[in-house]
Amino acid sequence: MQQEDEHKPGIREQHLLRRNNNPLFDVERRRVDREELALARLDDGREAQQFMSGFQALVQRAMALGPHADSQEVLDIKSGLDRAYQQACALPGDQTEIKRAIVRLVDTIMHAIRRGIGNDALARRELDDEEAARRVHFSLQELPLVSALTHPESPIAAEELIPSILSEPLETLAPSLTIFDRDQLEVLCQDARAFLGERDPQHRLADAWRRLDLIENLYHRMQQGQSGAH
């Protein structure tokens, strides 16, 4: 986990910055004024305050767990911590310490669960799979586009999905696309090609076309991989 910039924008401000002067967005959407930015920062800050209140309560519940805690309570807290990590990734500012604390709490709970299952090989394998999936999930949430798209109140409307994806830097685009399954990626390819064909028939937006190539190549590799598995 890398240290974050203390000035990192929240997902709402981030989307405004994504739209600002971006030819992939409609003309009226690429004009972002100071008032819009101020409101977005206010909303991001309000979410951060609400998050801290809920997170502190969650930590208290986790710390109060005893050796014979109710299993459903343990599962509820673990799920709450998973959601807290996802939400922390969407918040403005440097949330590194919060996320490290979440990881430590989850690890503590998982160690306690492992002690409880003893030598049950199947249960241990299921826990291994769960922890591997969590590491991938947490890693993906660090990506700005993923964090915005998976947020319950995503600032990226359906009609802005394609221009948002085609605006993502190449180095983070491929991992961000792993949140989509093959069928979804197929639709994205079709929609993105149609979108660019209409928006930029002269191929002047070279970066966007390169991103489309990456998306299509990723889809074809996924298609070949699944075909080879049968």
Side-chain angles (χ1 to χ4, degrees):
M1 184 189 306
Q2 294 183 344
Q3 189 77 26
E4 292 179 326
D5 183 349
E6 63 178 317
H7 301 298
K8 177 180 79 76
I11 57 170
R12 296 166 186 83
E13 180 184 359
Q14 196 175 76
H15 188 55
L16 293 184
L17 297 175
R18 183 183 290 116
R19 283 169 31 201
N20 191 39
N21 295 323
N22 186 339
L24 291 170
F25 288 84
D26 292 339
V27 173
E28 66 276 8
R29 296 290 286 168
R30 67 182 77 152
R31 295 171 182 158
V32 177
D33 58 33
R34 291 181 180 178
E35 184 178 355
E36 281 184 285
L37 280 171
L39 287 173
R41 287 171 186 152
L42 185 64
D43 287 340
D44 285 333
R46 187 179 295 115
E47 182 179 3
Q49 291 176 342
Q50 293 171 347
F51 168 82
M52 285 307 301
S53 176
F55 179 63
Q56 288 168 356
L58 185 61
V59 169
Q60 289 174 354
R61 286 175 63 193
M63 298 300 289
L65 287 174
H68 305 294
D70 177 71
S71 59
Q72 188 58 52
E73 173 73 356
V74 173
L75 292 175
D76 288 346
I77 291 173
K78 183 156 61 70
S79 296
L81 289 169
D82 287 344
R83 290 192 299 272
Y85 193 98
Q86 179 173 343
Q87 188 175 7
C89 290
L91 298 177
D94 182 3
Q95 305 299 331
T96 306
E97 291 307 314
I98 293 290
K99 290 187 287 187
R100 285 175 178 162
I102 292 171
V103 170
R104 287 195 297 268
L105 284 170
V106 171
D107 286 346
T108 299
I109 291 173
M110 294 300 287
H111 286 319
I113 293 174
R114 284 185 181 278
R115 286 197 301 270
I117 62 176
N119 295 320
D120 187 326
L122 176 59
R124 283 185 171 276
R125 189 159 56 249
E126 289 175 346
L127 285 180
D128 289 342
D129 292 343
E130 178 187 334
E131 289 186 316
R134 180 178 291 106
R135 284 193 295 271
V136 171
H137 176 67
F138 282 3
S139 177
L140 286 174
Q141 290 302 318
E142 300 288 345
L143 301 171
L145 182 62
V146 173
S147 182
L149 287 174
T150 58
H151 193 278
E153 298 176 6
S154 175
I156 302 177
E159 64 272 15
E160 293 187 340
L161 174 61
I162 296 301
S164 295
I165 287 175
L166 292 174
S167 301
E168 186 69 7
L170 282 173
E171 61 269 20
T172 54
L173 178 56
S176 296
L177 292 171
T178 60
I179 65 173
F180 300 104
D181 62 27
R182 188 181 69 169
D183 292 341
Q184 291 170 327
L185 205 56
E186 180 180 13
V187 174
L188 278 178
C189 287
Q190 295 168 352
D191 290 351
R193 180 159 288 279
F195 173 85
L196 275 181
E198 181 178 343
R199 180 61 56 99
D200 184 37
Q202 303 301 320
H203 285 231
R204 290 173 179 153
L205 302 175
D207 287 345
W209 286 99
R210 277 194 290 271
R211 290 170 186 131
L212 175 60
D213 286 342
L214 186 151
I215 297 168
E216 291 180 334
N217 288 335
L218 182 64
Y219 168 67
H220 292 316
R221 288 200 301 271
M222 184 183 293
Q223 199 174 31
Q224 291 168 358
Q226 292 191 358
S227 297
H230 293 297

